[in-house]
Amino acid sequence: MSSPISIAVIGGGPAGLMAAEVLAAAGQAVTVFDAKPSVGRKFLLAGKGGLNLTHSEPLEPFVGRFGARAAQIAPLLRGFDVDALRAWAAALGVDTFVGTSGRVFPKDLKAAPLLRAWLQRLRAAGVKFAMRHRWTGWTDDGALRFDTPDGERLVTPRATLLALGGASWPQLGSDGAWAPWLAARGVDVAPLQPANCGFDVGPTAAHAGGPGWSERFATEFAGQPVKPVALETAGFAARPGEFVITASGIEGSLVYAASAALREQIARDGSAKLHLDLLPQLTPERVLADVKHPRGSRSLSSHLKSRLHLSPLKLGLLHELLTREQMLDAPTLAAALKHLPLTLHAARPVAEAISTAGGVRFEALTDGLMLRALPGVFVAGEMLDWEAPTGGYLLTACFASGRAAAQGLLATL
Ligand SMILES: Cc1cc2nc3c(=O)[nH]c(=O)nc-3n(C[C@H](O)[C@H](O)[C@H](O)COP(=O)(O)OP(=O)(O)OC[C@H]3O[C@@H](n4cnc5c(N)ncnc54)[C@H](O)[C@@H]3O)c2cc1C
């Protein structure tokens, strides 16, 4: 069966829904196709973490978060900036606030009310939704092919907008299966890689056969936060924050922030090295003086605990990462407390990551986000080749690119 559809938006995440909104507002007949039974599943998951919609910092530092892609992201954000995004949410009945870190959240910290109001408005504007439609590419004569519960459906729209997401959390719908299909059609696609991801450690002094922590350390500390702490690595200046110990490594906000630098080191050198400051509030001199302070009959652990208030987890990290000789040499131990080396062996798989690096390269696109190799096909959202840290940058770029691609599409009609 082949049905005429005016404009097909494939992928009902934030980018696809925003594109559908712009297209419907311009009077186009739009159908949003999605593989899942409902749209916006990853958006709803983001709501579990408070839904960090965007960031209040000025445009220049904001686009700087996109690193090598800042120049390509800047025009998208000029078309839909932080104020526009906040006004858009307010028009849906969702007021936002700026947190102490500058991050912007809905007042109720939830995604569901926003998504519900948005879908209602989209339906009222005439947007149709075709769920359980998994796009699988094109037929030889250019029709879109969908796997549906009723068998294959072919659709021949006037134009197509792809907003299929990256490859993280595939259980929510975006599985990156599109990457080889587009590449086979001559589209330049950078390999999909984990971004804002965790890492496996190893080898460690206590588990020289690594990777991973020693069983004793993992059993005792997996799931616990390391805080306060500062982390630095090549290409990432020392930054205070916190992260979490996992069964085989580390994850959490500070690790995500450093993840691009760490991933690149691993790709280049086979492993990455970072340094931790376990006592960021104390000077090296003070730490050395406390470590050297006579401890009488006390064990080294209780000495460090009482003089430096080291938590069991931070003590555990020292025992995991230093040899016995290093632990017993006061200057070496004091230096390690301020600059503890940790080797990372691999990034966790993209399926577990918060977001995806890589995707359709901007060089493969016109300014209106149309694929040069496939005229009439537009691309938006996380399937584009950009990456950014957490902080609201990801959703902002998805919304902004959804709008830009829809406007690019309208300009060609
Ligand atoms: C745990 C978690 C928390 C996050 N928190 C935040 C946050 O607080 N702030 C922030 O800015 N970002 C956050 N993000 C990132 C943000 O959610 C994503 O960047 C964003 O959802 C990507 O939007 P998108 O529209 O490009 O793709 P997606 O939201 O992934 O949507 C893609 C859609 O395409 C559909 N699809 C995929 N392939 C096909 C196919 N072949 N056929 C049909 N349909 C298909 C999928 O089912 C899906 O509905 C978080 C991510 C995760 C995993």
Side-chain angles (χ1 to χ4, degrees):
M1 183 181 78
S2 181
S3 22
I5 293 239
S6 186
I7 296 176
V9 171
I10 313 180
L17 295 179
M18 189 55 93
E21 181 154 58
V22 172
L23 294 165
Q28 298 300 322
V30 185
T31 302
V32 175
F33 294 88
D34 201 290
K36 288 290 178 183
S38 59
V39 295
R41 292 184 170 215
K42 194 177 279 182
F43 186 67
L44 289 174
L45 179 72
K48 296 228 162 100
L51 193 65
N52 183 190
L53 270 179
T54 186
H55 199 289
S56 60
E57 68 191 4
L59 186 69
E60 211 173 297
F62 194 115
V63 297
R65 310 286 175 187
F66 293 82
R69 289 313 195 178
Q72 285 84 8
I73 296 291
L76 307 180
L77 291 183
R78 267 186 227 111
F80 193 64
D81 64 10
V82 173
D83 292 337
L85 205 168
R86 294 184 70 185
W88 169 84
L92 284 169
V94 175
D95 286 331
T96 52
F97 72 97
V98 181
T100 45
S101 58
R103 296 174 180 218
V104 176
F105 300 90
K107 276 199 172 138
D108 63 1
L109 297 171
K110 288 183 183 151
L114 195 157
L115 184 62
R116 213 177 305 124
W118 194 9
L119 292 177
Q120 233 169 37
R121 193 164 78 181
L122 289 171
R123 284 199 187 93
V127 174
K128 302 266 183 300
F129 290 87
M131 298 295 95
R132 295 190 170 92
H133 277 62
R134 184 166 196 276
W135 178 61
T136 58
W138 289 273
T139 60
D140 289 343
D141 52 6
L144 299 167
R145 315 172 80 117
F146 291 95
D147 273 349
T148 81
D150 303 322
E152 182 169 80
R153 181 174 170 198
L154 303 180
V155 171
T156 314
R158 241 178 117 193
T160 300
L161 195 149
L162 302 176
L164 303 162
S168 78
W169 289 70
Q171 63 275 35
L172 301 179
S174 48
D175 57 10
W178 53 266
W181 304 339
L182 291 192
R185 293 241 159 188
V187 177
D188 190 4
V189 180
L192 304 186
Q193 299 188 70
N196 294 300
C197 57
F199 291 84
D200 286 339
V201 300
T204 70
H207 192 222
W213 304 113
S214 67
E215 204 180 322
R216 194 192 52 76
F217 181 83
T219 307
E220 196 169 346
F221 297 114
Q224 291 194 27
V226 183
K227 63 177 183 180
V229 68
L231 183 157
E232 79 174 286
T233 188
F236 184 84
R239 190 183 298 183
E242 61 183 80
F243 65 87
V244 177
I245 301 295
T246 63
S248 58
I250 54 174
E251 65 177 20
S253 53
L254 194 52
V255 174
Y256 298 158
S259 62
L262 295 168
R263 192 189 67 220
E264 273 152 33
Q265 269 186 65
I266 292 172
R268 193 184 57 230
D269 307 332
S271 66
K273 186 165 267 186
L274 59 81
H275 288 92
L276 300 174
D277 182 348
L278 296 182
L279 296 165
Q281 69 282 23
L282 300 182
T283 63
E285 295 73 26
R286 161 76 198 278
V287 173
L288 181 60
D290 275 336
V291 171
K292 278 182 154 171
H293 195 272
R295 65 180 159 102
S297 59
R298 273 193 311 202
S299 72
L300 179 59
S301 293
S302 43
H303 174 68
L304 294 175
K305 215 160 127 189
S306 72
R307 297 246 21 129
L308 291 164
H309 305 293
L310 269 194
S311 64
L313 169 49
K314 286 183 177 175
L315 274 171
L317 266 174
L318 290 175
H319 286 291
E320 181 73 17
L321 298 173
L322 300 180
T323 62
R324 198 177 141 70
E325 294 68 39
Q326 289 171 320
M327 286 294 288
L328 292 173
D329 180 60
T332 307
L333 177 58
L337 279 160
K338 293 294 291 173
H339 202 61
L340 183 65
L342 174 61
T343 302
L344 301 180
H345 147 86
R348 294 296 302 165
V350 64
E352 296 173 17
I354 297 287
S355 60
T356 305
V360 176
R361 288 198 168 97
F362 281 90
E363 292 72 13
L365 298 163
T366 65
D367 288 345
L369 303 185
M370 185 176 81
L371 292 170
R372 292 182 195 281
L374 296 169
V377 180
F378 294 75
V379 185
E382 209 179 300
M383 63 186 295
L384 295 173
D385 177 25
W386 51 263
E387 69 176 303
T390 57
Y393 306 104
L394 304 166
L395 280 174
T396 308
C398 290
F399 287 130
S401 63
R403 284 185 84 85
Q407 282 157 354
L409 191 159
L410 288 171
T412 64
L413 290 182

